[in-house]
Every structure is written in C-alpha cells, then in structure tokens.
Amino acid sequence: MLIMTRRLYFAAAHRDIHGSELTGHTYTLDVAVGGRINERTGLLVNIKELDRIVKEHVLNQIDGKCLNDRLSFFQAHLATPENIATYIAETILPLLPSDVHLHSVRLQPTPVLYTEWLSSLKEVSHMLLTKIYEFSASHRLHSDSLSAEENRTLFGKCNNPNGHGHNYELEVTICGPINPITGRVLPPERLDAVVEREVLSRYDHRYLNLDVPEFAHVVPSAEMIVKTIWERLRPCIPAPARLYRLRLYETPRNLFEYSEEDDKEQR
C-alpha cells in the first residue's frame, strides 16, 4: 500500500473554554490517503480531486472563520486541535474516491505541538497529541566492557575523554480519548509538567555519564537515552492517556524512535 500526503494551510479563530476570549492560529494540515497505484494513470489519487474535496467541504467552511460561530460542531465541541482534526477527518472520510482510504489527518497549530487522527489506531475514538521539547546535554560514548582500543575504534571522536554535546529535540506523543469537557487528550500544560520533572530538569545542561544516575554504568548513546526517557515517562502519563511514541533528534541527521510496540517487544 502506498501513502500520499497533501499539505494545506488555513487560519481560524476560536473561543476559549469560557466562550469569551478569542484566539487564533495559522494551521498546517496534512491529509494522508492510502491505497494502490492505478496502473492506467500511475497515480494513487488525483491531487486536484483531493484538494477539491478538502477545500470545498472543509477549508471553505473554516478558513478565516471563528469556528464557534460558524459551525454547529464547534458549538457542541471546544475548538481544540484534537476536535478540529476529528471534524476534518469525519468530514473527508465519506467523500474520498472508493479506491483510496483516509490514512491520517495531522494538524499543527504551533511549531511545538501537533495532533493526529490515525485510521490505524485500534481505539476508534482515540487521537495522538505530540509536544516538542528541547534540552542540551553532553556525553561520552564509552563502554566499560570494551578495551580502550575497541572503544576508540567503535565510537571514534565520540569517545573523547572530555565528552561532547548535542542540542536534543524530543517529540513526546501520547494517545487517548478526547476529554469531552476539555476537548484535549491531555492538557498540554500537564504534559509539560511531567516532561519537565522527569526529563528536562534531570538531563538539560548535564554531563550524562556523571550527572545522571541511570547512565553511570550504561553507554549514554541516543538509543539508550530515548529508551531510558520512555521508561521514565511511561508510568507518569495520567490515564486514560498513555505514552505512544518518542522521537529523539540528536542532530538534524540522526533520529531515534521508540514506541509502545517496541516497548511490548522488550517485555
């Protein structure tokens, strides 16, 4: 199966939980469809037709509008990113050509937060919410079980006795149902508090080998860092939400991902 993603943009305003304060965002919308390539056309789907469906049935209704005032859906549901993504997915779903299916709807209102509707989620009513964090830390890649020469050969300049550092970017993705009162999978500030306590306050501006106990006898590679962060965060996510995926960018070219499927395999 092939998946194609079409990116669109729109701007919309909405009222807060009290119905008084008006705020707005310029949203990035990724609509992904999946299916088989049509042998006659060489296409999965006609992009012009996909654009027409999204623009005619979604963007024309919400772009440049106050959502609460414009649509009955947002008079009954808070206009959170989770609910907006749900509205878009439910609107598009029955309108797509029969030979493709809606794979995902990803909605990003700010550079550090996005939400996703995924057709592959086992729980139909569940959504993903991702928040992006940054921290800086130094480390030395060195294994006590290897000789000095083996360490130098394996890790190269990353085995420098004085260590080296990175500006890490951490994507924390949680999964859960949308709370009908808050309109959120989890209020972002609650997720911020957990990540601050369990990760940022412990790792930011630290020499991981010496300052963080869990790396005293473990090589603090990016692989081990993302797995250790998973182990710290997983029991701390308030139910009914749960930790779904972590992505750790060590550099713009090095990305490490750990998910609940990986965690199940390790158990």
Side-chain angles (χ1 to χ4, degrees), residues 73-92:
F73 181 90
F74 295 109
Q75 294 171 3
H77 303 81
L78 288 172
T80 59
E82 291 95 325
N83 279 333
I84 299 172
T86 298
Y87 166 79
I88 293 172
E90 291 179 351
T91 301
I92 295 172

Side-chain angles (χ1 to χ4, degrees), residues 1-5 31-35 93 96 100-105 116-121:
M1 182 184 71
L2 182 75
I3 296 171
M4 187 206 76
T5 300
V31 176
V33 296
L93 201 55
L96 291 174
V100 296
H101 72 273
L102 185 60
H103 175 267
S104 63
V105 170
E116 295 169 275
W117 177 97
L118 290 182
S119 63
S120 59
L121 284 178

Side-chain angles (χ1 to χ4, degrees), residues 31-264:
V31 176
V33 296
R36 297 184 181 277
I37 300 172
N38 184 307
E39 294 183 359
R40 293 180 62 246
T41 65
L43 302 175
L44 172 66
V45 66
N46 186 332
I47 291 179
K48 291 181 180 179
E49 176 61 10
L50 181 59
D51 279 355
R52 184 196 66 77
I53 291 170
V54 177
K55 291 178 180 178
E56 182 177 322
H57 296 277
V58 175
L59 299 191
N60 285 353
Q61 316 305 317
I62 64 178
D63 190 26
K65 310 295 193 305
C66 175
L67 299 180
N68 311 78
D69 300 338
R70 178 72 179 183
L71 296 170
S72 59
F73 181 90
F74 295 109
Q75 294 171 3
H77 303 81
L78 288 172
T80 59
E82 291 95 325
N83 279 333
I84 299 172
T86 298
Y87 166 79
I88 293 172
E90 291 179 351
T91 301
I92 295 172
L93 201 55
L95 302 174
L96 291 174
S98 59
D99 52 347
V100 296
H101 72 273
L102 185 60
H103 175 267
S104 63
V105 170
R106 182 182 187 271
L107 186 66
Q108 184 161 5
T110 77
V112 298
L113 185 145
Y114 62 88
T115 189
E116 295 169 275
W117 177 97
L118 290 182
S119 63
S120 59
L121 284 178
K122 296 176 182 178
E123 306 91 339
V124 177
S125 62
H126 282 39
M127 298 279 293
L128 303 184
L129 177 69
T130 298
K131 192 77 186 288
I132 302 171
Y133 303 90
E134 295 180 346
F135 65 92
S136 299
S138 60
H139 63 166
R140 182 194 185 200
L141 300 187
H142 183 89
S143 173
D144 293 337
S145 63
L146 301 177
S147 69
E149 181 58 32
E150 287 173 325
N151 271 289
R152 285 192 293 270
T153 300
L154 177 61
F155 298 121
K157 61 184 179 181
C158 295
N159 187 239
N160 173 17
N162 294 318
H164 65 284
H166 298 282
N167 293 319
Y168 294 93
E169 184 174 281
L170 175 67
E171 292 190 6
V172 179
T173 300
I174 60 173
C175 178
I178 300 175
N179 184 300
I181 297 175
T182 66
R184 311 305 304 249
V185 171
L186 185 72
E189 58 271 17
R190 291 192 65 186
L191 181 59
D192 291 347
V194 171
V195 175
E196 173 63 33
R197 182 184 71 241
E198 298 298 327
V199 181
L200 304 184
S201 66
R202 297 173 61 85
Y203 291 8
D204 191 32
H205 285 77
R206 299 291 196 274
Y207 184 31
L208 300 179
N209 305 64
L210 300 180
D211 296 336
V212 180
E214 48 258 49
F215 296 118
H217 304 291
V218 174
V219 180
S221 61
E223 293 91 330
M224 289 305 301
I225 294 172
V226 73
K227 184 175 183 295
T228 301
I229 291 175
W230 177 276
E231 292 168 351
R232 295 199 63 83
L233 289 179
R234 185 179 62 81
C236 299
I237 302 300
R242 69 181 190 273
L243 189 58
Y244 180 83
R245 181 182 65 222
L246 293 179
R247 286 175 176 156
L248 182 69
Y249 290 84
E250 185 179 54
T251 73
R253 297 175 62 193
N254 292 343
L255 167 62
F256 301 84
E257 182 171 319
Y258 197 84
S259 70
E260 62 180 1
E261 292 302 318
D262 301 311
D263 190 49
K264 289 175 184 175

